Amino acid sequence: MSDGIVITTLAERPELFELLHDFKSGWPTFMAQDPIGGSLMGRVPELFPEHCLMAMEGDVLVAHGRSIPFEFPNEDRTDLPSGGWDRALIWGVADHRHGRTPTVASALEISITASHLGRGLSHEMLATMRRNVQAMGLTTLYAPVRPNGKQDPHQPMTEYIQQFREDGLPVDPWLRVHVKAGAEIVQVAERSMVMAGSLDEWREWTGLPFDQTGEVIVPKALVPVRCDIEHNYAVYVEPNVWVRHDL
């Protein structure tokens, strides 16, 4: 692409693997506490290097993207799962282990360094991911999109995704990137990621007191975190939005 940035796959450039460990994604600390993501996300570059995009500016990794292939639909998977991002990871790793032939893929992430935001790189990464998945013979790219433009944690996600600009595109920036690339918004994944922890853990992750039972508004969380003082835990159940790219 332009600006001296070259997008390749980890399969083509396996020597770039170590750069993923030092990449600063900008995610809040609590978002790294999903146990399924913690156990399986690191397997994606190992098991599916051809699904890992690396955007290099010289010797610097400025963006990367990951997708994961799986079989869908089949007799056990008739609908897109409410488990969203977590379930896509589970399906992909399980299918690889059992030797099933994938028919579709799901995007897992597109992360861009802060210095390269606002330069159109998200559009180019998604376009490259679409082409990459299509070249593997897969029919569809799904994505459990995290609509991080959502500012009101009390607003239902089903209501938020019905908000559009005057030009007919979604108000949410990430949903807009996908729709502009040709995706269709399908449905909400109500429990796409789940983070649970003790109150001390949540205090460490967020710097908030977590000293009252009820809803806690955490910066960058899409919905409130549920806090239970008596039982010493809090849990965050994040909704995402399934979109479908027909290839």
Side-chain angles (χ1 to χ4, degrees):
M1 63 174 292
S2 60
D3 298 329
I5 297 174
V6 177
I7 303 175
T8 184
T9 69
L10 193 58
E12 296 168 311
R13 298 280 309 275
E15 73 276 10
L16 301 178
F17 180 85
E18 294 302 323
L19 297 180
L20 290 171
H21 298 299
D22 299 324
F23 189 85
K24 304 299 183 183
S25 67
W27 289 105
T29 302
F30 74 90
M31 286 296 297
Q33 311 307 320
D34 176 77
I36 292 174
S39 61
L40 298 182
M41 190 63 164
R43 301 296 311 282
V44 175
E46 301 170 11
L47 301 179
F48 311 101
E50 69 280 7
H51 280 267
C52 296
L53 301 180
M54 311 288 281
M56 302 296 297
E57 188 174 53
D59 296 329
V60 179
L61 179 65
V62 297
H64 71 89
R66 305 184 204 192
S67 57
I68 193 166
F70 51 84
E71 184 183 30
F72 180 81
N74 61 25
E75 61 181 11
D76 299 316
R77 304 169 185 170
T78 56
D79 299 300
L80 286 172
S82 61
W85 191 85
D86 281 352
R87 186 55 56 179
L89 269 171
I90 292 170
W91 283 356
V93 173
D95 284 3
H96 182 274
R97 183 171 65 247
H98 294 294
R100 299 190 186 105
T101 301
T103 56
V104 304
S106 174
L108 293 173
E109 70 169 332
I110 292 176
S111 295
I112 301 169
T113 58
S115 62
H116 285 67
L117 292 173
R119 294 171 52 175
L121 190 50
S122 59
H123 295 272
E124 186 63 29
M125 289 290 288
L126 179 57
T128 304
M129 185 177 289
R130 283 170 52 105
R131 291 192 297 268
N132 191 51
V133 167
Q134 185 178 27
M136 297 181 206
L138 304 180
T139 61
T140 307
L141 174 67
Y142 291 97
V145 177
R146 184 177 200 265
N148 51 18
K150 185 176 183 291
Q151 298 297 314
D152 180 2
H154 290 105
Q155 182 183 30
M157 187 64 77
T158 51
E159 179 181 301
Y160 179 70
I161 64 174
Q162 296 299 321
Q163 294 183 322
F164 299 92
R165 306 189 312 183
E166 290 184 1
D167 60 5
L169 292 170
V171 298
D172 185 80
W174 265 116
L175 286 175
R176 193 160 60 247
V177 168
H178 282 270
V179 171
K180 289 178 74 172
E184 177 186 353
I185 296 174
V186 181
Q187 66 194 51
V188 173
E190 294 87 353
R191 50 180 183 85
S192 191
M193 303 177 74
V194 179
M195 297 78 161
S198 70
L199 299 185
D200 278 344
E201 287 175 322
W202 275 100
R203 291 167 187 140
E204 180 181 351
W205 298 339
T206 66
L208 299 175
F210 277 88
D211 55 0
Q212 293 185 1
T213 292
E215 295 183 343
V216 179
I217 304 303
V218 173
K220 297 188 178 181
L222 303 185
V223 296
V225 177
R226 302 281 180 169
C227 175
D228 189 318
I229 295 295
E230 181 179 1
H231 296 98
N232 190 37
Y233 77 92
V235 61
Y236 173 60
V237 181
E238 174 164 297
N240 290 165
V241 181
W242 277 116
V243 304
R244 182 182 68 242
H245 296 260
D246 291 324
L247 306 176

